[in-house]
Amino acid sequence: MEETYLLNVEGVKKKILHGGQGELPKLQDGSKFTFHFQTLKDDFERTVIDDSREAGMPMEIIVGKMFKLEIWETLLSSMRIGEVAEFWCDTIHTGMYALVSRGMRRIAEGRDPLEGQKHRCGMGNMFDYHSTGYDDLDELQRTPQPLIFIMELFRVEDPSAYKRDTWAMSKEEKLAAVPVLHSEGNRLVLRREFTQAAAKYQEAVICLRNLQAKEKPWEDGWLKLESLVTPLVLNYCQCQLELGEYYEVLEHTTELLQKHNDNAKAYFKRAKAHAAVWNEREAREDFQRVAHLDPSMAAAVKKELKQLGERMRKKHVEDRKRYQGLFQSSQG
C-alpha cells in the first residue's frame, strides 16, 4: 500500500509503506513511542544520514517532553502500531536535526548527550558548539534542507507502563533516582558485578550533570550537585580499576582533579591507574600527593609504592633479557 497524505501540517507529506493494526493510539503527556527510523537526504541517491537499526537500538521519545525535533511527535501520532511510513519534511521542520542527531549518536556511543552544553535552549547550543563533532551533521547545520524520515512504530506505552529513562525525568525525579542508583551500584560492587555497578554510577552522574547544566557553574546550586557527583565518579573509577580499564580511570580522575585538586582519593585512583600502565614517574607523584593531602592514607601509599618499585624492577630485568636476546639473535 502506498498512498500519499498531506497531514494538517505545512511542509509535511506522508506515504504509508506498510499498514499498521488497530486504531490510532490514544496519547497523553508521558506516553512513550518506541520506533525505528531512517533519516535520508532528499537527493537523487537518498543518502542515509542515520539508521537506528545500524546503531543497534530503537528510538524512544516521550509525549509532551519537548523533544527538540517537535515534528517527530506529530509524525508518530499519525501512525498505527506496526505501521511503516515515509515522511517528507520541509526545512521549516528539520533545522534542529543536526543537534538531535548529535545527541542520539552520543547515546548510541555510550556517552552523555548533554555533555558540554552551556545553554538550555537548542538554538543556543547550536551556536555554542560551532561543530557537532560529525562532518555530515556540520554540513546539515550549515545548510538546512528538507529531509525524509522512514519510521516503523512498534509500541505506544502509557506513562504508568514503563520505567522512566533518566533523560525523561523531571528535576525532582532525577534527584530522587540518584540515591537509589548509588545504593544499587554499591550492592552490585559487593557482589563483584563491576560492569553493572559502573552502569548504575554512570546513570546517576548523568542525572546530576543534566541538572547541573541548568545551574551557573560554581554557584551554590551547582556546587551542591557537584558534591553528589564526586563520590559517584570515584566509585565508577574504582569499578573501572577492577575491570582493568586504566585509561578510562586516567581520563575521569584527571577531569575530576581539574575541578578539585585537593581530592586525595582521586589522586590515589589515578596513581594506581598510572602504575598499571607503567607510568612510574606520574604514579609516584600522585601517590606522594595523596600522602601529603591525607596523612591517614600514608600506610596505603607506602604499600603501593613498594609494590610499584618491585613491579618496575621486575620489568627492567625482563626488558634487559629481552633486549639481550634480540641482540644475540641479530648477531647470529
Side-chain angles (χ1 to χ4, degrees):
M1 178 184 356
E2 287 202 13
E3 300 178 31
T4 300
Y5 296 86
L6 290 172
L7 302 182
N8 291 324
V9 180
E10 181 185 355
V12 177
K13 297 176 187 174
K14 175 181 179 181
K15 184 186 292 183
I16 296 177
L17 306 181
H18 178 78
Q21 301 103 36
E23 301 296 320
L24 289 173
K26 291 181 173 62
L27 303 174
Q28 55 182 299
D29 270 8
S31 293
K32 180 168 76 170
F33 292 111
T34 303
F35 60 101
H36 268 306
F37 74 94
Q38 263 193 331
T39 304
L40 305 95
K41 287 186 178 181
D42 185 20
D43 57 13
F44 181 77
E45 295 85 3
R46 287 167 63 93
T47 306
V48 176
I49 300 169
D50 289 308
D51 187 333
S52 61
R53 283 188 173 82
E54 284 190 6
M57 56 193 292
M59 181 68 185
E60 297 175 348
I61 66 173
I62 309 295
V63 174
K65 282 295 177 183
M66 296 180 69
F67 184 63
K68 289 188 177 75
L69 203 64
E70 292 178 21
I71 193 62
W72 273 18
E73 191 173 309
T74 303
L75 305 183
L76 291 161
S77 298
S78 77
M79 299 177 68
R80 292 171 169 79
I81 305 300
E83 181 178 320
V84 182
E86 176 178 312
F87 300 91
W88 177 92
C89 293
D90 207 349
T91 310
I92 58 172
H93 301 297
T94 62
M96 294 298 296
Y97 185 77
L99 184 62
V100 170
S101 176
R102 175 190 188 271
M104 292 189 294
R105 291 182 188 186
R106 289 174 72 88
I107 290 170
E109 292 163 6
R111 299 158 71 191
D112 177 3
L114 299 180
E115 183 182 325
Q117 288 194 12
K118 297 179 182 176
H119 306 291
R120 296 190 208 183
C121 69
M123 290 307 293
N125 280 312
M126 290 187 76
F127 288 119
D128 185 49
Y129 287 135
H130 302 298
S131 170
T132 62
Y134 303 93
D135 290 342
D136 58 337
L137 299 183
D138 286 346
E139 180 198 343
L140 283 181
Q141 193 167 280
R142 285 191 299 269
T143 56
Q145 55 198 267
L147 294 173
I148 296 166
F149 303 113
I150 299 176
M151 295 178 160
E152 179 178 1
L153 180 60
F154 295 132
R155 60 184 174 272
V156 178
E157 297 168 272
D158 290 337
S160 60
Y162 63 91
K163 180 188 171 188
R164 302 286 288 280
D165 292 319
T166 53
W167 60 265
M169 292 178 180
S170 67
K171 177 180 178 179
E172 292 73 21
E173 288 169 331
K174 285 175 182 172
L175 285 172
V178 167
V180 175
L181 291 165
H182 198 157
S183 176
E184 288 176 354
N186 293 348
R187 180 176 54 80
L188 288 162
V189 165
L190 291 174
R191 290 163 52 180
R192 302 192 64 77
E193 296 178 15
F194 297 113
T195 300
Q196 296 90 330
K200 295 293 183 184
Y201 295 137
Q202 186 178 43
E203 188 177 353
V205 169
I206 289 172
C207 277
L208 294 169
R209 291 292 190 216
N210 289 353
L211 293 173
Q212 267 191 318
K214 300 181 171 101
E215 302 284 347
K216 288 187 177 179
W218 302 105
E219 292 195 356
D220 288 347
W222 188 94
L223 287 168
K224 186 175 180 181
L225 293 166
E226 185 69 13
S227 70
L228 299 174
V229 168
T230 300
L232 288 163
V233 172
L234 290 172
N235 287 1
Y236 174 83
C237 287
Q238 184 60 42
C239 291
Q240 298 305 319
L241 280 174
E242 298 283 355
L243 293 166
E245 298 290 345
Y246 304 118
Y247 290 102
E248 180 94 351
V249 176
L250 292 176
E251 177 186 347
H252 288 285
T253 50
T254 299
E255 183 182 341
L256 189 64
L257 288 165
Q258 285 169 351
K259 297 176 186 172
H260 312 287
N261 63 4
D262 60 347
N263 191 301
K265 289 181 180 178
Y267 279 118
F268 189 78
K269 294 183 195 306
R270 189 170 76 171
K272 286 178 71 72
H274 275 309
V277 296
W278 307 105
N279 296 338
E280 182 181 12
R281 179 179 60 80
E282 292 88 345
R284 288 186 180 280
E285 287 177 358
D286 278 353
F287 279 131
Q288 286 161 6
R289 284 195 190 98
V290 172
H292 174 71
L293 288 167
D294 187 352
S296 71
M297 297 180 72
V301 167
K302 186 176 179 181
K303 180 182 176 183
E304 292 289 343
L305 285 171
K306 182 181 178 183
Q307 289 177 350
L308 175 61
E310 290 170 354
R311 286 183 70 235
M312 295 309 299
R313 280 192 292 275
K314 185 176 179 182
K315 182 176 185 294
H316 293 323
V317 169
E318 290 173 352
D319 287 347
R320 274 202 302 274
K321 287 180 180 177
R322 190 178 303 114
Y323 293 142
Q324 286 172 355
L326 288 170
F327 179 76
Q328 290 167 359
S329 63
S330 66
Q331 292 293 310

